[in-house]
Amino acid sequence: MKIKPAVLTGVHFMNGDYACAEGALAAGCRFFAGYPITPATEIAEAMSRRMPHVGGIFIQMEDELASMNSILGASCAGVKSMTATSGPGFSLMMENFGLGIMMEIPCVLVNIQRGGPSTGLPTMVGQQDMMQARWGSHGDYEVIALTPSSPQEMFDYTIKAFNLSEKYRLPVLIMSDEIVGHMTERVVIPNEEDIFIINRKKPKNKPGKYLMFQPEEDLIPCMANAGEGYKVITTGLTHDERGYPDMSAEAQEILITRLCDKIRKNKDDIIEYTVFGQDDAEIIIAAYGSPARSALSAVSLARKEGIKVGLFRMITVWPFPEEKVLELATRARVIIVPEINKGQIVHEVERCSKGRCQVISLPKLARIHTPYEILNVIKEVSNS
Amino acid sequence: MSQNDIHPMDKLIRADRMPHIWCSGCGLGTNFSCFLSALDQSGLDIDKCVIVSGIGCTGRIPGYTNIDSYHTTHGRAIPFATGLKLANPELTVIVFSGDGDLFAIGGNHFIHAARRNVDINIICVNNFNYGMTGGQFGPTTPLDAITTTSPYGNYEHPFNLVQVAAGSGAVYVVRWTSLHVRRLTNSIKEALLKKGFTFIEIISPCPTSFGRRNKLGDGLDEMKYYQKYSVIRHGIDPKDADLCLNGKIVVGKFIDVDKPTFLDNQPDLVSMAEKNKK
């Protein structure tokens, strides 16, 4: 048996799930906990094969509640950690996703979305958990959710997810889907030294002077790990800067406002999207994940026919690119939103368009839109 | 503050968090004290010791302990602790939580961590009810006991926790009451230094809720009860250590065995590669 390095530099032909696992290892993830679930199982399988090569831990937990909690624990011990799941497992993880938000623990949670609700369509694609990603755990908070559209992006944005989680001290979501997870494509893994890595800020003060939840100017506190002598105190209860429980309205105001603001005030650093043909576009397709691929084909075909149409592809769905959508809505006549659900992100597009253009939902279940389905809608709108 | 005002265990307590939230007559103060003495006597590097809990009265113990402490969600202390231990094997990881937290909502995690033999130490305070929410029946409440959700007497069969632990694969299984301070301290110390998944059950009074509704008297009366009805039976089959309302309390060390832990059994690819060459 040949021991393989953490970064498999080179050109590969691999599916999105495997690319996600390789991205995690390249980002420095050395703890993976998961529970088998279609269509995310390949990530766990890849991790069970690869972790022993890099001296990391793979553990198959008894359920997704345990998976989520164990990656929080591992991260608190200073090891970058990840779990991967789909619909029903994502629901089970929501409670302790909230614990990660409250305790400000960096880690990555991957959802390879399938059809729901309940057991739904385990083997078929969905984008039905997009609002659950935003609001699935109780309470007020902000999240970061990325939506890769290809195996290459699964690799690249898994690394980015780790970087964002370490930088902003919170669990980061990768809201992929079954098509991207199971699609096999060319994936280029760069040299290790060319991969940009962010690690959590470490305490600048000595034990006794350091506070686990005292924010710096960027609203993010430095993080001490267990076993470093800081005697940290952390709780899921509302707490003060020391980490002591504080059952007061004032403490709730201060803590929850900061947890929201550390994302809101840094959203320009977090939000990423691509635009294609927007300069002259009267019609914009706003898409994310696998439908963004069909949308790109549809836009290319329509432009060949002389229709002024552009693609706005969201890579960060949460926090939502509010300003950019308003800008597009101000210039365009129509925004069309194809999604593999009954219409979720379209409501955000409507909210942010502020009535400045027409917004059309293009819902579809269990299958990806074909380019021609989107093209036909573009033509209808163009002729109207 | 004079020297006399400092509690001998102050170095291990977050004294600025006192007074604690526990009721008078509760066994948790004694249990906590035994734990701190055991930790102190163990000779372990305190900076490498971590305490984790779920939710409930017992779940507040980590917040009062002056070591790295994590007060997690209801029932989830064990998987959180599993992550800590596996990510950094140098840590000594203690889960200190209640019977409802560890065996109702968290029961699945308990049996699987024991099965895997994750090298963590579980201390379970069993007060036979959910104290913090006002005294509802739980997975250990004896048959016929009165609680706020069993007003006509509990009609569910309880777990025998030491049997559950032994059956799930724990390598060290002990039960004491809050009265057995010396024995309890020694057992906690032994568990902290033992490799593998260890389990200590502490039978503990909850005079405010369970004791009051079942006419067990105040904290002192419960201690007298423990004194009168506790029977030490080291080494017996844990299935014979069943508990019931107003019956005898079998205590002692039931299991103390050795077997490879989760980390001991990790694949060693370098050695496997060597073997393949031969």
Side-chain angles (χ1 to χ4, degrees):
Chain A
M1 195 183 305
K2 193 169 167 264
I3 306 292
K4 290 184 183 169
V7 181
L8 295 183
T9 303
V11 180
H12 302 264
F13 189 57
M14 62 169 70
N15 76 24
D17 283 354
Y18 292 156
C20 175
E22 292 303 334
L25 295 175
C29 173
R30 293 295 179 270
F31 185 94
F32 180 90
Y35 186 84
I37 188 164
T38 305
T41 307
E42 290 88 344
I43 299 176
E45 289 175 341
M47 285 302 203
S48 73
R49 271 198 306 274
R50 292 282 282 129
M51 275 300 185
H53 287 260
V54 300
I57 293 285
F58 164 82
I59 184 167
Q60 186 167 306
M61 295 304 280
E62 54 274 16
D63 58 30
E64 287 87 350
L65 293 154
S67 300
M68 186 68 217
N69 272 279
S70 64
I71 68 165
L72 294 177
S75 182
C76 286
V79 173
K80 290 185 186 177
S81 59
M82 182 170 93
T83 186
T85 189
S86 189
F90 195 58
S91 295
L92 288 179
M93 287 180 183
M94 281 294 99
E95 178 200 27
N96 297 290
F97 175 69
L99 181 67
I101 296 280
M102 197 63 154
M103 286 187 171
E104 301 184 68
I105 303 173
C107 58
V108 173
L109 196 177
V110 183
N111 181 354
I112 309 295
Q113 293 175 86
R114 65 193 220 184
S118 190
T119 314
L121 283 172
T123 60
M124 294 172 85
V125 69
Q127 292 184 310
Q128 295 172 293
D129 309 340
M130 296 309 297
M131 296 311 285
Q132 187 185 15
R134 178 64 189 86
W135 297 111
S137 200
H138 53 281
D140 275 306
Y141 52 90
E142 290 284 337
V143 299
I144 298 176
L146 309 177
T147 51
S149 281
S150 66
Q152 180 68 54
E153 285 197 347
M154 286 294 270
F155 179 85
D156 296 340
Y157 287 99
T158 300
I159 296 172
K160 181 164 184 181
F162 272 99
N163 286 345
L164 290 169
S165 80
E166 292 282 323
K167 184 170 184 181
Y168 292 103
R169 253 188 89 171
L170 83 169
V172 168
L173 301 167
I174 297 176
M175 296 300 290
S176 185
D177 59 61
E178 186 273 337
I179 287 176
V180 175
H182 281 167
M183 168 194 298
T184 299
E185 273 185 346
R186 176 187 157 98
V187 174
V188 180
I189 298 182
N191 291 320
E192 190 171 351
E193 57 271 24
D194 295 330
I195 296 173
F196 178 64
I197 300 291
I198 298 176
N199 292 314
R200 64 193 68 174
K201 291 190 292 187
K202 298 304 297 169
K204 295 171 182 77
N205 296 326
K206 291 201 171 91
K209 302 267 183 212
Y210 159 78
L211 303 177
M212 183 75 164
F213 299 95
Q214 184 180 45
E216 296 197 304
E217 217 167 288
D218 56 6
L219 302 178
I220 306 148
C222 300
M223 183 166 171
N225 302 322
E228 292 179 340
Y230 285 92
K231 301 185 187 345
V232 301
I233 168 168
T234 57
T235 174
L237 289 165
T238 295
H239 47 267
D240 62 18
E241 292 185 350
R242 296 170 297 179
Y244 287 15
D246 186 340
M247 301 296 97
S248 70
E250 292 75 21
Q252 176 81 345
E253 266 311 331
I254 291 167
L255 177 63
I256 305 310
T257 303
R258 180 177 65 75
L259 292 182
C260 291
D261 281 354
K262 76 175 176 180
I263 304 303
R264 287 178 188 171
K265 295 198 170 163
N266 290 301
K267 64 177 188 290
D268 291 342
D269 177 54
I270 298 165
I271 291 173
E272 199 176 327
Y273 51 77
T274 63
V275 280
F276 171 68
Q278 65 159 351
D279 293 341
D280 60 348
E282 292 172 0
I283 302 166
I284 296 281
I285 314 296
Y288 57 93
S290 57
R293 301 169 68 102
S294 306
L296 180 61
S297 291
V299 167
S300 304
L301 291 168
R303 287 186 76 87
K304 274 182 199 154
E305 294 182 27
I307 303 172
K308 289 177 179 173
V309 53
L311 172 66
F312 173 58
R313 182 168 76 89
M314 290 164 271
I315 296 168
T316 317
V317 167
W318 305 118
F320 194 71
E322 297 174 341
E323 280 93 356
K324 186 67 191 174
V325 169
L326 181 62
E327 181 200 315
L328 293 170
T330 307
R331 285 193 281 147
R333 189 159 62 81
V334 182
I335 299 179
I336 301 166
V337 189
E339 298 179 85
I340 309 173
N341 56 41
K342 294 301 279 180
Q344 295 194 6
I345 295 304
V346 67
H347 298 306
E348 284 297 294
V349 175
E350 273 174 357
R351 177 176 71 82
C352 299
S353 305
K354 299 190 173 176
R356 293 188 190 178
C357 75
Q358 188 189 355
V359 176
I360 297 174
S361 176
L362 209 57
K364 194 172 172 87
L365 294 179
R367 289 158 296 166
I368 191 172
H369 309 68
T370 66
Y372 289 95
E373 281 173 328
I374 299 173
L375 182 64
N376 288 342
V377 179
I378 293 171
K379 283 181 178 170
E380 272 172 41
V381 170
S382 173
N383 295 332
S384 63
Chain B
M1 195 191 277
S2 77
Q3 195 63 36
N4 293 337
D5 293 335
I6 297 173
H7 189 277
M9 287 297 126
D10 248 18
K11 59 186 169 182
L12 294 174
I13 297 173
R14 293 184 198 268
D16 57 343
R17 291 214 58 216
M18 296 296 134
H20 55 69
I21 63 156
W22 301 316
C23 308
S24 86
C26 173
L28 278 166
T30 310
N31 307 339
F32 185 38
S33 186
C34 291
F35 164 66
L36 295 175
S37 299
L39 191 60
D40 193 39
Q41 291 166 22
S42 70
L44 290 165
D45 178 358
I46 293 303
D47 285 346
K48 299 288 177 198
C49 293
V50 187
I51 184 165
V52 188
S53 72
I55 298 298
C57 297
T58 311
R60 293 304 182 99
I61 278 182
Y64 301 136
T65 315
N66 196 23
I67 60 175
D68 287 321
S69 63
Y70 298 89
H71 178 221
T72 71
T73 45
H74 199 18
R76 316 297 165 215
I78 288 178
F80 197 100
T82 298
L84 279 163
K85 177 66 189 181
L86 300 185
N88 183 358
E90 276 185 22
L91 301 175
T92 297
V93 181
I94 304 119
V95 171
F96 211 137
S97 225
D99 51 296
D101 184 77
L102 289 169
F103 287 93
I105 190 165
N108 200 31
H109 307 313
F110 180 90
I111 61 175
H112 287 282
R115 172 180 64 77
R116 293 184 187 106
N117 199 22
V118 180
D119 185 11
I120 56 177
N121 309 287
I122 314 295
I123 304 172
C124 174
V125 175
N126 180 3
N127 62 8
F128 304 106
N129 77 148
Y130 288 96
M132 185 167 270
T133 45
Q136 296 73 38
F137 78 87
T140 56
T141 308
L143 274 173
D144 302 326
I146 307 291
T147 71
T148 62
T149 49
S150 60
Y152 311 110
N154 179 34
Y155 41 78
E156 288 192 14
H157 295 283
F159 271 144
N160 171 3
L161 299 186
V162 290
Q163 192 185 1
V164 173
S168 305
V171 295
Y172 183 88
V173 178
V174 163
R175 176 194 285 153
W176 296 112
T177 75
S178 295
L179 179 76
H180 297 90
V181 290
R182 193 170 47 83
R183 291 185 169 94
L184 174 59
T185 304
N186 286 338
S187 288
I188 296 175
K189 189 168 66 180
E190 204 168 48
L192 289 174
L193 298 173
K194 187 172 172 75
K195 209 169 156 188
F197 186 92
T198 69
F199 178 66
I200 294 174
E201 178 183 11
I202 311 172
I203 305 297
S204 191
C206 175
T208 301
S209 289
F210 190 76
R212 181 161 53 98
R213 296 200 175 85
N214 291 287
K215 308 208 171 358
L216 302 178
D218 59 19
L220 186 61
D221 292 327
E222 292 215 40
M223 288 295 167
K224 286 176 182 163
Y225 172 72
Y226 295 162
Q227 189 179 28
K228 197 169 169 190
Y229 287 92
S230 291
V231 193
I232 300 176
R233 292 275 186 273
H234 292 305
I236 66 156
D237 189 327
K239 81 173 167 41
D240 299 324
D242 235 344
L243 299 169
C244 62
L245 194 60
N246 301 320
K248 66 174 182 182
I249 303 169
V250 178
V251 295
K253 179 158 84 175
F254 308 118
I255 306 280
D256 190 355
V257 295
D258 293 303
K259 68 176 173 187
T261 66
F262 179 92
L263 285 172
D264 292 337
N265 285 341
Q266 285 296 295
D268 175 3
L269 291 200
V270 179
S271 318
M272 282 160 80
E274 294 282 309
K275 253 186 231 165
N276 286 351
K277 274 182 206 160
K278 284 171 194 166

